[in-house]
């Protein structure tokens, strides 16, 4: 898994979880919870390494938001 801004830039809205994993690999942490009232599910993928963290939020297996913080490689 390579957490870089370039790889995060490849992730875009409406991608599937499978497409995200093809770019970033398996997340360090995955949390799925029901969406109240509206229905469906919200899944949050968290990727972390020594210097970087990326969070991808999917709604019903479709990317909604992405966020990344990248430190300086050592």
């Amino acid at each position: 898994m390579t957490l870089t801004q370039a790889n995060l830039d490849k992730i875009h809205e409406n991608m599937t979880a499978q497409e995200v994993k093809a770019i970033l690999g398996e997340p360090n942490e995955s949390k799925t919870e029901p969406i109240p009232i509206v229905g469906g599910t919200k899944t949050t993928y968290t990727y972390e390494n020594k210097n970087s963290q990326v969070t991808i939020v999917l709604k019903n297996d479709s990317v909604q938001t992405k966020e990344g913080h990248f430190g300086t490689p050592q």
Side-chain angles (χ1 to χ4, degrees), residues 3-58:
L3 295 183
T4 62
Q5 185 66 54
N7 278 347
L8 183 60
D9 289 344
K10 294 177 187 175
I11 308 294
H12 55 82
E13 280 189 24
N14 301 320
M15 280 183 118
T16 66
Q18 200 62 37
E19 291 171 315
V20 171
K21 290 178 183 178
I23 294 168
L24 295 177
E26 289 293 324
N28 297 85
E29 189 180 313
S30 173
K31 183 173 89 173
T32 300
E33 53 198 338
I35 300 171
I37 302 167
V38 179
T41 57
K42 171 186 167 186
T43 303
T44 304
Y45 285 170
T46 304
Y47 294 88
E48 292 179 310
N49 66 19
K50 197 171 177 181
N51 306 304
S52 305
Q53 180 176 11
V54 169
T55 304
I56 309 287
V57 177
L58 301 103

